[in-house]
Amino acid sequence: MKDMKQSELILNADGSVYHLNLKPENIANDIIFVGDQDRVEEITKYFDTIEFTTQKREFKTQTGTYKGKRLTVISTGIGPDNIDIVLNELDALVNIDLATRTIKNKLISLNIIRVGTSGSLQADIPVDSFLMSTHAIGTDNMLQSYVIDYVTASDIEDAFIEHTQWHPLKGRPYAVAASDVLLNTFKNDAVFEGITITTGSFYGGQGRVLRLPVQDADMNGKLETFEFKTHRATNLEMETAAIYGLSKLLNHHAVSLSAIVANRKLGTFSKDSHQTIDKLIQFVLSKITN
């Protein structure tokens, strides 16, 4: 492959990747994604050591050790567009020689663990519970910019389109499974499992109405009743499908765990979401090290 043009793989003056401000030696192979930059230190406060910290825009990174294991925590900001930046630049750090702008002969697979918040679609998945996404359906169109047929589940997509009477002008939803390896790592009887619906919108895309009418006012009800084989739609958020899709395309492992802070079916919200998120963080750290 020819060397990548400077306009394709953009580097900063110090040789770090453009948005994340990172060099290859700054990251571990096990990486925790959070949305909020302030949540990075809510995780790394439990670390034994912190060797590196940087921030550019909403992308804050800290790398250190927890119980002898080297970990990196990165804030992605909100939405699939940011995931496109973060995962492509992380992959470049481990799989592209930045000096020669060529793909390495030996490729590395990262472990990506999303720790975030989400709203439940099901009455029996209460606020302050934990949920792991076995699959994710993206309604955001970001992944459609790539060649994706070999990583997506067209049978789930077709069933979803039919069940929701999906409007064709919105673009085709894409469905991607989590990494089996990481699903087994975090599997726990106290953790709910299901299909996560990822949107590119917090308001209209998730059926919230303030002053603007939405294209399908019944969409959340359709999502609530969507099932495929043994799986059902369980929650709404804004990053998981993009993480799963790009990770599969780039041959990385990914799993998403959510603290359920809202129940859309019941209209309830957690009374202490910070405590719930902290419990999820401790759960994730214990599983990573064990």
Side-chain angles (χ1 to χ4, degrees), residues 232-244:
R232 61 174 176 163
T234 48
N235 61 311
L236 282 163
E237 52 76 81
M238 297 181 66
E239 290 88 31
T240 296
I243 293 170
Y244 283 9

Side-chain angles (χ1 to χ4, degrees), residues 141-200:
N141 286 324
M142 183 280 291
L143 205 70
Q144 300 290 2
S145 297
Y146 300 97
V147 179
I148 64 174
D149 292 352
Y150 67 101
V151 301
T152 54
S154 60
D155 51 354
I156 298 178
E157 295 165 2
D158 291 340
F160 181 80
I161 290 167
E162 180 179 0
H163 179 81
T164 59
Q165 300 175 297
W166 193 255
H167 197 292
L169 291 180
K170 290 182 175 179
R172 182 179 174 86
Y174 60 92
V176 191
S179 160
D180 288 336
V181 172
L182 293 182
L183 284 176
N184 290 330
T185 298
F186 293 97
K187 194 174 186 64
N188 187 281
D189 290 341
V191 178
F192 289 93
E193 296 181 5
I195 300 173
T196 293
I197 310 299
T198 295
T199 76

Side-chain angles (χ1 to χ4, degrees), residues 73-103:
V73 185
I74 295 179
S75 62
T76 65
I78 298 174
D81 52 338
N82 277 16
I83 298 302
D84 184 56
I85 291 171
V86 174
L87 262 166
N88 273 293
E89 292 194 4
L90 285 176
D91 181 76
L93 287 172
V94 295
N95 290 321
I96 297 175
D97 185 318
L98 301 185
T100 63
R101 299 176 180 274
T102 56
I103 298 173

